[in-house]
């Protein structure tokens, strides 16, 4: 894993250290390795993309809920913008692959959420509504952080992303250094909210972070195996 190109404050380091094993597991997941190599089956990627589009709706919901709990207008606005980015910027990536792989908004709306996807969504929304502010942001942070870390790691490993790589758009998006400022902003807020919380809340936030990191691995897995409900 490469050294991050953005500041990692002390509380974020504490969260990452608590999730070290689970975090590293995503970097070695066969879905991620095949995606980087360009050998990932297109049907697996399509399954992942469609589930991810629905996940991002819940991410936007969680960010919007967090905005209502912030006191400072600048914090409210940042989380509103984070919700918008999840739907608009990443939505453009989904639209591009939808044209290539043969799915659209109606298809995405009609899919059944996998057990792993639904559980991850419920975790984020639960923390955004029932947890303290630091717990809410602790649960939200792993998604962007892990994707940006993965994107930058894979770019470093590949050296260059060729135009004919089937997943070039995905790799280029998440390796974009423009996301470094996004990470500075969210990790800075995580630190401020941790500073304002008591130690029991901070520890719960660490556990919320670890849980989300586990769900990130489980998200690769549900796409890798085309997860279905067992009954």
């Amino acid at each position: 894993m490469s050294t991050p190109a953005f500041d990692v404050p002390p509380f974020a380091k504490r969260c990452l250290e608590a999730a070290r094993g689970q975090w590293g597991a995503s970097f070695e997941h066969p879905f991620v390795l095949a995606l980087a190599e360009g050998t990932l089956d297109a049907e697996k990627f399509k399954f992942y993309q469609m589930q991810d589009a629905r996940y991002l709706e819940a991410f936007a919901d969680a960010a919007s809920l967090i905005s209502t709990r912030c006191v400072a207008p600048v914090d409210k606005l940042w989380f509103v913008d984070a919700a918008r980015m999840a739907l608009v910027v990443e939505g453009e990536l989904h639209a591009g692959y939808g044209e290539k792989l043969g799915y659209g908004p109606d298809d995405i709306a009609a899919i059944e959420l996998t057990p792993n996807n639904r559980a991850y969504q419920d975790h984020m929304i639960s923390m955004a509504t029932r947890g303290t502010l630091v717990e809410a942001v602790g649960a939200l942070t792993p998604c962007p952080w892990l994707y940006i870390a993965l994107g930058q790691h894979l770019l470093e490993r590949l050296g260059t992303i060729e135009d004919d790589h089937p997943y070039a758009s995905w790799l280029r998006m998440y390796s974009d250094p423009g996301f470094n400022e996004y990470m500075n902003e969210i990790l800075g807020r995580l630190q401020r909210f941790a500073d304002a919380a008591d130690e029991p809340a901070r520890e719960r936030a660490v556990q919320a972070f670890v849980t989300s990191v586990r769900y990130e691995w489980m998200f690769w897995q549900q796409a890798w195996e085309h997860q279905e409900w067992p009954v």
Side-chain angles (χ1 to χ4, degrees), residues 3 5 25 32 71 92 134 150 174 181 184 195:
T3 303
V32 173
V71 175
E92 292 173 355
V134 68
L150 266 175
Y174 295 112
E181 183 55 31
N184 283 330
D195 291 342

Side-chain angles (χ1 to χ4, degrees), residues 143-183:
C143 175
W145 192 356
L146 183 63
Y147 270 64
I148 292 163
L150 266 175
Q152 295 179 354
H153 167 77
L154 293 175
L155 176 61
E156 184 177 282
R157 175 179 160 184
L158 294 170
T160 186
I161 301 168
E162 301 295 339
D163 290 340
D164 61 353
H165 192 297
Y167 307 117
S169 296
W170 192 98
L171 291 164
R172 285 170 177 159
M173 168 169 275
Y174 295 112
S175 62
D176 187 342
F179 278 117
N180 292 335
E181 183 55 31
Y182 179 101
M183 288 311 306

Side-chain angles (χ1 to χ4, degrees), residues 5 37-38 61 78 94-95 105 113 122 133 142 148-149 165-166 193 223:
E37 293 165 359
D61 288 345
W78 191 86
H94 284 280
L113 297 180
D122 289 349
L133 197 51
I148 292 163
H165 192 297
F193 299 152

Side-chain angles (χ1 to χ4, degrees), residues 4 14 54 67 76 79 86 90 104 112 126 133 156 160 187 194 215-216 231:
R14 173 178 166 180
R54 292 287 298 279
S67 75
K76 289 179 180 292
F79 283 104
E90 294 191 82
E112 181 176 39
S126 175
L133 197 51
E156 184 177 282
T160 186
L187 295 184
Y215 279 129
E216 286 294 332
V231 293

Side-chain angles (χ1 to χ4, degrees), residues 17 20 24 31 40 44 50 143 153 166 210 215 224 229:
E17 186 57 36
R20 181 65 62 182
F31 182 99
L40 180 65
K44 290 185 187 296
M50 294 178 74
C143 175
H153 167 77
V210 173
Y215 279 129
W224 186 250
W229 290 88

